[in-house]
Amino acid sequence: MAAPDNPIEPPGSDPDAGDQLKSWLRSLAPTKVDLVGDFAGKERFAIHGEALLAHCLHTMKVDFDYGFQMLHAIHAVEALLLRLRDRGCNFHVLWFDREYQLSIPTEISAEVAYKYQLTRNILIQHFAHAQTGKQPVFSFVFPSLDSDSFTQYLEDHHPGLFLGSDGTTPWWTGGPELLTPLHLLYRINSAGYHVACVEHLEFKASKVLLPIASPRGAQRSLNGDAPTLDTSPVEDNIGDRLAVLIKEHNLTAREIISLYSLAHVLDQYAPDADEANDVGQQVTALLLQVVFLRQCSITGRNFEPRGSGLELGSAANSFVCSLSEPAQRILGSWGSGPFADSAWDAFDLFDGRLYLALLRSVDNMHLPSALQEELIQLGGLLEHLCGYNVTAMWPANLTDTHGGEPGLKNADRQPNQSAPSFPVLPFSHPVLDEFLTSVHLRTEAVTSPPVNHRVHKELTHWHNKKPIDPKQPPKALDFKARRRNQRFMADIIAYSASLTGVSGKIIEPETVVVRSAVEQSKPASKQPANKGKKLPVNPKKPLQKSGKQKALEEAELRRAAKFQDKSPAIITFWKERCQEFSKEPSLVKRYLRVQKYLLGLSPVHLSVIGSEVSLYLCNVLRQTQSRYNPATITHSSVLAMLWSQIQETARLTMTEEVHTLVTRVLQSFKLPVDKLSAPLSKRKMSFEFLDVEKNADLLPPGKSSLEFQLESCGPYFDRSFDSAPDPRVSFEPDAWQRKVLDAIDEDKSLLVVAPTSAGKTFISFYAMRKILEANNDDVLVYIAPTKALVNQIAAEIQARFSKRYDQDAKSVWAIHTRDYRINNVKGCQILVTVPDILQILLLSPSNATGPTSFARRIKRIIFDEVHCIGQSEDGLVWEQLLLLAPCPIIALSATVGNPLEFRDWLRNAQKAKGHDLEMVVHTSRYSDLRKFIHDPSPGTYEFTGFEPVERLPFPGLDSDCESPLPFLFLHPVAGIIDRSRDTLNDASLEPRDCIELWRHMTKYQNGQYQVPKSLDPENVLPSLVKKSDITKWESALKDVLASWMLDPNSPFEELRSNFRGERFARLSSKYGQFESGDLPPSQSGAVVSRRSVFSLVTDLRTHGALPAILFNYDRVGCETILQGLNNTLEAAEAAYKQSNPEWLKKLGAFEEWKKYREAAKLKEAKVKETKKSRSRNGDDDGATKGDRARDEANRELSVWDSFDPAAPLPQFGFADNTKLTQQELNALLESLTWKADIVRPWILAALYRGIGVHHAGMNRQYRQIVEVLFRKGFLTVVVATGTLAMGLNMPCKTVVFTGDSVYLSALNYRQASGRAGRRGFDILGNVIFHDIHPHRVLEIMSAKLPDLRGQFPTSVSLILRLFTLLDGTKNSEFAVNAVNSLLTQSRLYLGGPDAKMSIAHHLRFSIDYLRRQHLLSEHGVPLNFAGLVGHLSYTENAVFAFHSLLNDGYFYDLCSSNRSEQEIILELMLVLSHLFCRQACVQYKDGKFLKRLHRSPSVGILPDLPQKASELLERHNQQTLSVFQNYVSSYVDQHLAGTPDNCLPLTDYKVGDVQNQPMLDLSTILPASDSPRTPTVVRSPFSALSGLTDEFGSIHELCETVRAGVFLEESAVPYIPIAPKETNGVPLNAYLYDFFKHGDMEALKEFNMIKGGDVWYFLKDFSLILSSILTSFANFLDLPTADGEFAFEEEDEMAEDEGPPLSGDEEDGTKNDVSSAPAPPQKEPQKTKAKKKVVADSWDDEESDEDTEDDTETANHGSSGPQAPSWADDDGQNLTKIFKTFLALRTEFEKKFCKTFA
């Protein structure tokens, strides 16, 4: 929804403004993304300071009620900003004086509001002072949004996001103030900026998750009526006197502000006798606070509330409130006043709780002499400033010099850091003990009742009960399974056929033969040592030739003879073709026909006539060029093609005549001719060449050869970078590519960072060939980020390699994803998979038991698109795999923001395993990219069909446009926003960009900023320019420009503005405004807006820029665009068919033909009947059956036989019908039409018109057909989401970004734009921006890539899986190495020795948690439901919550209750909806949303958990909290003893730090009743200032307020917040619960607000979770199945045929069939005999000696061990009831879910 047509007025000025703002907020539909990885990258965003302060004060529970804990407030803000900065965020904090009230709760008195105002002003000055040191400037203050200074800020910095507030902070209780933050967000968003709300910030490991909303509607300027500020000077005598005093006394900021405020208040204060004593005490308490804050440790300031505080109405509050106004006055002029250079400590200006304690104790206190002197000094200064003699008001004992010297200590007051509060359960393991030696803990063995644990063995698949290693050979596939396999393989082969090279021919598979050991020891890259030297010759003995050499020589002689025989025929045929070509009147068509002929020549034909054919092309271009005005762009473009083609001709074998003409043309272009090869023969040419006169000049008028090359010929430049022949590959690799080949030959690991189209593809296939040649057993694993890329890579392997094996189970390749498997995974040599599957394979014990096990045979792993490690979803698995990899790796990426840091981390990880890692970086794209904004003239037109386009294949869409181009070209320098060298380095310049930059720089240079003459292209470039020359020149130009960028007074701004031009400024100012007669960009019918997507694609077609991929990062948006294109074409075609006379005439003729054909058929039938009658009567006509067949074949076919009046007409589609016959098209689309509802009819119909859609929500077969048709050239327009950009081979001329999105980040922009101009297809790519604000376009172009930052990879479930691996392989070397890899190697996220200590402690307490949950024995043996937890590890905390409910008997009690089965199942579904696949219901306060729910079948908002389940989960969370609080205590005790937590986190200011002076212990000075509490151990002392102790309410609170120096990652702690109690009041979406009740997926989209593209996948995830749960129960109970196999299978992708084929040794080829699930036993199962040593499918019913769990376990609190599981010792009866109920639930869920498959 767009913003309202009329701007919304500020709250208060319009009574309807509130409803309008709320309506606008509902329309935003923000998308939750990773702020750094998915959106901002390294780009700057803005944080609204007032909203930030309000959020931090509330969430961190800062005490502004009883006390005034300013330091805690400052710390809270800094802590949040540091968390952002640590995760790579680049932000500015913006303050607006007009909106200062946003930091103050509503409905609060002014006598309390001062706390918030003063804290805001202190923060502003605090950040300003921090910026004068090492901190960069990050805080800015503006009068208002309307101010000129803010407008200038936006122009200078262009923040990509504004982080404000939506007004949901609880202290904004109502009134117009509630709408003020919303109105601010509305104005920012309406000005074209993304917005988000600080209330929804979520930190997860290294990620910052945040819902972000894109700009809506027409953008409006922020300029308005700026407030008029009173800047007149105010007389300030006290300030003047204080300025003099600071020169004599070393006063800090806190002392200056305190004295100044007191002096101002007391100067005008005339109290009566009764008030004088109270005022004196208050002044004394404040001065004492100033003294104490100098000397007191922060850990000694933890006071609990006592009596009245600084609340409204108290005398103390009134006094402090009076000090606020002068304090804010001096702060306002701090930076420019006389106090600016004073030591800054005002961040700790006031401690309300300390002040109140001092105020109560001032009469009962005795100060040490040193403090007395400081107090007397301050009292004297105060008297000097205002004449108030405070010393006269002091009680005698306060400064009594005869007292003792209490309170001084030489060390900071530390908490009692003793052993942890609670003991841990004992644990010992031979592998882990060494790693845990640094963790010293108290264990206590307490006797518990014996528990009958079961030892977990990983013996079955995670989703069914089939054995991983079957004892018997697999059953043969049934007929359906074989047919499915065959059909899928046929699809793969057909798909691979589309993955062609430039020639368009199918890649012939290379038959790989295992090389001998001798051959493998001699890499092909190594040249012989005697190369270039003459071998010694024995004159008496002739040199013997090998048999191979003789055979080669004989073959060469036969080839030469054959060549001589064929030459005359080839020349004759060429002469005939020449005559045919010359008859073509259109030069464009003639050129295209000859070009196609040239490309189709065989090597033999090319050697005979190739140069002549190429020269014929030059001749056509000469004729074309002569028809254009030499001053036009088109003339230069044709000349550039001629320039390129003549050089191509010169490389071929030439006759004398061709050689002469080529020499003359080269000379006319001022190109060197000295390296031309000599002609080989004399032969008269078959055509007349439009000759060039001797010494003639073909260059454009006024252009030198160099200028012409740089301006027009850049796309044709030689792109090689030190290329040379190499026998290892079929092309001439560049130097960097040879370096890669050498590293693979030397078995090194590789990190290759190179842009798309640079030539990375060959790396993977060379590594695969090496593996295949080595033997028949080694394995290479290829990891792709998406299933679409998995399918493509497998198809390419199928097309490239074949190999013969002795065993049927062996294969070259296999696919394994969660949805399907193709070929035998364990029998393949190249496994193509996704990250989570490889993780399962590496951690599965069955894959690592023996030396020939699958995991041990892996010799190399390829990580394609390795930058996915930065993703919020799967990045954790990528990082774990990079650490786990047991072999050399190859990591490939085009988009790594911090390659050096990432290389160092990878190198260390590989070095630990004995592998060297080499990084190869290549920065140049093969094909340059030109960027444009679609900027057509306004208005509409009626589309009546396309006219044929005749255009030479110019590389750029702006190469032949003499009229105004509907595209605005953007020079790369014009797109630079951030004046940094990194941004400049990221800007890639093609040759014409370089010369334009040089010209602009020489134009705008001045005396200080000069362009060296050495950069003149005439001085720096050779006569024939290559791409490598341009790269060097570009770098030198950037070096000079970078110095200009750093100085705001340089000519850079003028230069950049000139590059952008007036057209860009006009477009920016009028963006989103529709002129008279225009239509919105989206409409239906044949009347088309020139700004629409249809008009855009039409313009691309006109300018030869198709095929194109249109990227829109919303699935529904993609389909909407496709439907709009298709509707326009259909509407125009319908109008044409109804009114066009020629069509109506043709249709009439067709109808006449049909009548004639029917009559002919009737006549023919009568003739046949007559013949039959004669035959029966013996009167045969003598015609045999063969004669009649020949007569039928010879029957003349009519043109009407193939006419289909319903078929799309060519002029009403974008399809290129020359690329595919109708029969080929129908054959490809047959698989989509044989079954209804595979794809929607209009999507299928669009394919026939040359347009398709591609996103993850589409059917797999449809997506692959779209890819095939696009690669073949039939489809010329595909609308896609970002999934298509992840490495898929979809080359195109143009990439279009249509519509803005939060996902249009620096990373996704580079990935998607890289599809344009792919190597081997186009020499130049076009990038178009459509329907995106021009300034946003600049942000996208200049955005820097995010740094790759890892996550915390040691989760509790991973630790359990490692124990499963160790136990299942009996602590094998492979398993030990895996454990060491994950536990001892450095992390991207952490790193350093401190991190290893944190991981060790985290590991030990994770083990303690697992022990208490009965998942791990004392000796590290996995127990009970460890398999369930391991297999559902991707749900992490949810599975632990589920397990706790299972352990505590909730599910048994529910399933055993007397309620009806349906009630039980419904409650069970409610509980599961609270645990798994959770989605927040953010609209729960939206009135319109709630009204719609009342009329819907959905409840929308998930009901609360049942009380008992809620209580049990709360208890589980509390137990988990105790375990991890214990972890923090132990870590502090062992590693942080004596390390104070007294630094502000962001600015690093120390609190209470006075060097070489003893610290003050307040407990020895203040009365016992007012003494501070014992310092906290776990919680930060800054949080303790507000009275918080080491008692925590939740894991979240523990993680948020833990002391500095302790690593505690909330996402790695196994707990789940209970909604809405522990989710800030936000309830969960009831979509799962609702679907289970009504089964209506459309209702979930409409009423539950689940995105259409996500619904099916959410439901599928839940379905797989149910399968895993049931499998675990069945394994635990050892349930049999009817056919001997457990029938739970994974569903295939949505409506994919009948499902993918499954390999015979691992799957039975059946679909997921609920009815075939195992039936629970009806009678009590027999107990296992005591001495029976039989292991069930996945559980040991009896414990062996080495896997025995001790009967005694240590208690949680030292009295008793963990409570036994509810199902223990009942022979499975409890679990059987639970299993039955879950099975019934799954049956009902699957019944409804399967209906949605189409």
Side-chain angles (χ1 to χ4, degrees), residues 949-1215:
V949 175
E950 281 196 11
R951 182 183 188 270
L952 286 171
F954 299 124
L957 60 80
D958 57 348
S959 299
D960 64 336
C961 188
E962 307 306 332
S963 59
L965 189 70
F967 302 98
L968 169 62
F969 171 69
L970 290 173
H971 191 282
V973 174
I976 292 177
I977 292 180
D978 185 16
R979 290 190 174 202
S980 69
R981 182 61 196 257
D982 288 342
T983 305
L984 181 60
N985 288 341
D986 286 343
S988 178
L989 278 64
E990 61 173 308
R992 76 172 194 175
D993 297 333
C994 288
I995 192 169
E996 282 301 312
L997 176 59
W998 176 77
R999 287 170 178 167
H1000 277 68
M1001 292 174 69
T1002 54
K1003 176 182 177 181
Y1004 292 108
Q1005 65 181 338
N1006 54 34
Q1008 184 179 356
Y1009 294 94
Q1010 291 285 318
V1011 180
K1013 292 192 181 296
S1014 60
L1015 294 184
D1016 190 317
E1018 298 289 346
N1019 298 329
V1020 75
L1021 297 175
S1023 58
L1024 180 59
V1025 188
K1026 297 170 62 176
K1027 180 71 178 288
S1028 55
D1029 301 321
I1030 294 298
T1031 302
K1032 296 174 184 176
W1033 187 37
E1034 174 189 354
S1035 178
L1037 288 171
K1038 286 180 176 178
D1039 288 339
V1040 177
L1041 187 62
S1043 64
W1044 292 22
M1045 293 170 62
L1046 297 177
D1047 187 353
N1049 299 318
S1050 74
F1052 174 76
E1053 184 59 44
E1054 194 175 2
L1055 177 144
R1056 182 175 61 177
S1057 299
N1058 191 274
F1059 269 129
R1060 292 177 182 174
E1062 295 181 1
R1063 187 176 176 186
F1064 179 86
R1066 175 192 57 77
L1067 183 62
S1068 300
S1069 62
K1070 295 186 177 181
Y1071 178 79
Q1073 302 174 12
F1074 300 115
E1075 299 185 17
S1076 177
D1078 203 358
L1079 288 175
S1082 59
Q1083 78 287 320
S1084 60
V1087 178
V1088 179
S1089 166
R1090 296 191 184 276
R1091 303 186 186 197
S1092 66
V1093 175
F1094 186 88
S1095 179
L1096 162 69
V1097 179
T1098 302
D1099 289 337
L1100 293 178
R1101 179 182 179 274
T1102 303
H1103 291 88
L1106 295 180
I1109 300 175
L1110 280 61
F1111 283 101
N1112 183 285
Y1113 288 85
D1114 180 75
R1115 294 176 184 177
V1116 176
C1118 287
E1119 295 182 14
T1120 302
I1121 291 171
L1122 180 75
Q1123 194 166 24
L1125 293 173
N1126 192 59
N1127 288 347
T1128 301
L1129 293 170
E1130 288 183 345
E1133 185 183 60
Y1136 172 86
K1137 289 182 175 180
Q1138 289 177 0
S1139 60
N1140 185 270
E1142 292 184 7
W1143 172 260
L1144 295 175
K1145 182 180 178 181
K1146 187 175 183 179
L1147 203 60
F1150 175 66
E1151 294 297 330
E1152 289 294 324
W1153 174 80
K1154 284 201 303 182
K1155 293 177 182 178
Y1156 170 78
R1157 188 180 62 173
E1158 291 298 324
K1161 284 183 176 181
L1162 289 174
K1163 184 178 179 180
E1164 186 177 351
K1166 290 180 179 179
V1167 171
K1168 286 183 178 180
E1169 185 61 33
T1170 303
K1171 289 181 178 181
K1172 286 182 180 180
S1173 174
R1174 290 178 180 176
S1175 178
R1176 285 193 296 268
N1177 297 330
D1179 187 11
D1180 196 350
D1181 61 359
T1184 65
K1185 186 175 181 181
D1187 294 333
R1188 285 193 291 271
R1190 278 191 293 273
D1191 291 341
E1192 180 67 23
N1194 292 329
R1195 183 176 65 87
E1196 184 178 350
L1197 290 177
S1198 169
V1199 293
W1200 301 113
D1201 281 323
S1202 59
F1203 179 70
D1204 181 5
L1209 299 177
Q1211 65 267 40
F1212 295 98
F1214 295 100

Side-chain angles (χ1 to χ4, degrees), residues 590-780:
R590 189 187 305 176
Y591 176 89
L592 295 175
R593 288 180 62 186
V594 177
Q595 185 187 49
K596 184 177 180 181
Y597 176 72
L598 176 61
L599 291 174
L601 290 178
S602 68
V604 174
H605 286 66
L606 194 65
S607 63
V608 178
I609 60 171
S611 61
E612 193 171 327
V613 177
S614 181
L615 192 62
Y616 189 96
L617 277 176
C618 296
N619 191 47
V620 176
L621 292 172
R622 282 281 289 119
Q623 297 174 43
T624 306
Q625 164 248 331
S626 64
R627 299 185 179 186
Y628 287 99
N629 183 336
T632 61
I633 298 174
T634 308
H635 180 270
S636 297
S637 299
V638 176
L639 278 181
M641 292 180 68
L642 176 58
W643 179 90
S644 174
Q645 192 65 47
I646 200 67
Q647 292 183 77
E648 291 290 334
T649 309
R651 298 186 185 102
L652 300 171
T653 304
M654 293 180 285
T655 64
E656 282 192 6
E657 188 176 359
V658 171
H659 186 279
T660 301
L661 291 170
V662 167
T663 302
R664 199 170 296 170
V665 175
L666 287 173
Q667 289 173 338
S668 70
F669 279 119
K670 304 294 188 294
L671 295 178
V673 295
D674 54 320
K675 294 184 179 180
L676 280 179
S677 58
L680 297 182
S681 62
K682 288 184 178 181
R683 187 179 76 239
K684 183 174 175 58
M685 288 201 315
S686 303
F687 62 94
E688 291 292 329
F689 186 77
L690 187 58
D691 201 357
V692 181
E693 296 180 7
K694 197 170 183 180
N695 300 324
D697 190 349
L698 279 179
L699 297 171
K703 300 288 184 183
S704 69
S705 174
L706 210 52
E707 287 178 313
F708 168 65
Q709 290 182 57
L710 294 173
E711 291 178 1
S712 304
C713 304
Y716 305 103
F717 283 176
D718 182 356
R719 287 163 164 74
S720 62
F721 287 83
D722 189 20
S723 60
D726 194 301
R728 293 172 290 183
V729 290
S730 59
F731 60 95
E732 292 190 3
D734 291 344
W736 72 272
Q737 293 172 317
R738 295 196 300 276
K739 189 176 179 182
V740 168
L741 293 173
D742 292 340
I744 295 175
D745 286 340
E746 295 167 9
D747 275 341
K748 291 182 179 179
S749 290
L750 270 167
L751 169 62
V752 182
V753 181
T756 51
S757 86
K760 298 191 297 293
T761 305
F762 83 98
I763 300 172
S764 302
F765 295 110
Y766 181 73
M768 292 174 188
R769 181 151 56 89
K770 292 277 291 183
I771 290 292
L772 293 173
E773 289 176 342
N775 51 54
N776 290 337
D777 297 317
D778 289 351
V779 176
L780 178 146

